[in-house]
Each structure stands twice: as C-alpha cells, then as structure tokens.
Amino acid sequence: MQQILLNEYTDFLCKKKSVNSKNLGAGKVQAPLEVTTSEEFDLKDKETLIIQPVNTGSVTYKNPKKQSVSVIDYEKYINSLPDSVQNGLKRCDFLVYSEDSDVFVLNELSQSKNVFDKESHAIHQLADTLALLLECNETKSKILNYGEKYCIFSNRYKKIESPDGVADAFGAVYDLIGTLETAKPEDIPAISALGFVYYRSSTIELNDTLSFYI
C-alpha cells in the first residue's frame, strides 16, 4: 500500500491538480509506515513515531494473536505533497491494515471532552478521504481486496489535570466505562455507499472477528 501511495496515487493526485509528478523532488513525498505484531498498541497523531505505548494515544488496538498490522500516517503523506496538490484535500490520520485479519481501516483521531464537537468534522474527513482513495484505480483495487473495511473515529477523553489528583477519580470512571461499552455501527450514507462501515470507537480488537468499544 505504501508504494501505491507514493507512486500511482501521487500521480493521480497530481494530475487532478494539473501538476507534473515528475517535477516532485526525490524523497520529498513521504508515506511513513510502521509494522507491528504487538499484542496491544496505541496511535496518536502528530507524533514522530506512529506506534505509541498503550494508554498514551487516542485509540488502542488489541492484537491478541500477534498478527502483522501495518499503519500508514496518511495525514503526513498528504502534508508532504506540494501545496498546489494538497490544497483542499481532506485527510484522515491513519490507514491501518492487516492481511492476516483481512481488514482495512481509515482512522481519524481526536482527544476531546465532548465527542460531538469533533465527530461531524471527523466523518467528513473519513468520507472524503475514502472517496478519493477509491477514485484512483490502483488504490481502489488494493483496498477492495480486503474483506472487512471500516471508517473509525477514535476520540479518547483527555483526563482532567487537577492539583493533588482531585479529579483523577472522574477520569478513571470514564476509562472504566469506556472499556466496557460495545460500540455500534452507524449508517453514514457517504461511507456505507462506498462499502465501508462507520464506528465511533477508541478500542479495537483484531481477532477472528473485530470488536469495537467506545
């Protein structure tokens, strides 16, 4: 997937903006990729490293079977394109995929006290990113090979910082509730029409069947 983004997809985006991709400087366009078999890991946007320690990011991926999971920083990829190409393009944060579990995920992240403040914006980011990826023949062919396809908005509440930890209990209660509540799919026409399922989930378990939790 990384090479398709760097080559065919970059050519596709450049042509849409009447830019000659051959004029892009060598190594200027980047699509940072990390692969992990960790049993549990987090993702957090705008970090140097993609894979983050558990409980430090906006979403946790549980991977009990230690399957190979690839993560591309899609936002950094788009941001590395010339301004004339990236201008006006929506960009979700990460592409997460695994041949082992036959899954492909577009993941948009946030850390907000009120999920509803960010969800509408996140849905637009996900839907527009997906539509663009499926407009390019090469990325479309790759993505549609996966059996399970999801757009996921992950919003993890940032604990309230308080003197002497007075408010820590409130954050702990939220965390406990969050790990126990099963997320339900939502019908977002702009996403479901493209063959993807939308979830709002901050914990994703990659197993024989995927499980989503708020």
Side-chain angles (χ1 to χ4, degrees):
M1 187 65 188
Q2 183 192 43
Q3 290 306 309
I4 294 175
L5 288 180
L6 290 172
N7 297 309
E8 290 86 356
Y9 190 60
T10 297
D11 288 343
F12 162 77
L13 294 179
C14 287
K15 286 178 182 177
K16 285 181 70 72
K17 298 297 183 73
S18 300
V19 173
N20 188 344
S21 61
K22 293 181 179 179
N23 292 334
L24 302 182
K28 292 283 187 179
V29 179
Q30 299 181 355
L33 166 71
E34 291 183 17
V35 181
T36 182
T37 55
S38 297
E39 289 188 65
E40 202 169 7
F41 62 92
D42 275 22
L43 300 180
K44 185 178 181 181
D45 64 343
K46 297 176 176 61
E47 297 289 337
T48 302
L49 296 177
I50 294 175
I51 306 299
Q52 296 289 315
V54 176
N55 297 325
T56 63
S58 300
V59 61
T60 297
Y61 281 82
K62 294 181 179 293
N63 183 27
K65 292 190 173 182
K66 296 184 178 181
Q67 299 177 94
S68 178
V69 181
S70 300
V71 187
I72 290 177
D73 192 324
Y74 183 80
E75 182 177 29
K76 283 187 178 178
Y77 160 70
I78 294 294
N79 290 346
S80 73
L81 295 169
D83 291 343
S84 57
V85 177
Q86 66 168 280
N87 185 42
L89 296 182
K90 298 294 186 185
R91 60 209 74 182
C92 71
D93 290 310
F94 296 104
L95 305 180
V96 183
Y97 53 98
S98 172
E99 276 74 19
D100 290 342
S101 56
D102 196 26
V103 62
F104 192 95
V105 171
L106 278 70
N107 206 172
E108 176 70 10
L109 311 183
S110 181
Q111 290 188 337
S112 173
K113 294 179 182 179
N114 187 346
V115 64
F116 300 106
D117 288 343
K118 300 290 186 179
E119 188 167 19
S120 177
H121 173 73
I123 287 172
H124 283 297
Q125 294 278 49
L126 290 164
D128 288 2
T129 298
L130 176 59
L132 194 60
L133 284 167
L134 295 183
E135 195 177 329
C136 171
N137 289 332
E138 289 80 8
T139 47
K140 178 180 180 179
S141 178
K142 177 68 174 178
I143 292 169
L144 294 186
N145 274 332
Y146 290 90
E148 298 189 68
K149 300 177 283 290
Y150 302 94
C151 285
I152 299 174
F153 171 47
S154 300
N155 182 84
R156 179 161 288 156
Y157 178 62
K158 188 178 292 184
K159 288 184 180 180
I160 301 170
E161 299 294 337
S162 59
D164 301 320
V166 173
D168 288 358
F170 295 99
V173 170
Y174 182 93
D175 288 346
L176 178 60
I177 293 172
T179 58
L180 296 177
E181 185 177 351
T182 300
K184 296 180 180 179
E186 299 177 42
D187 182 23
I188 307 298
I191 290 174
S192 58
L194 296 175
F196 275 62
V197 181
Y198 174 79
Y199 276 90
R200 176 164 55 86
S201 172
S202 58
T203 301
I204 301 159
E205 184 171 347
L206 300 164
N207 215 320
D208 294 330
T209 58
L210 267 70
S211 300
F212 302 90
Y213 305 93
I214 297 175

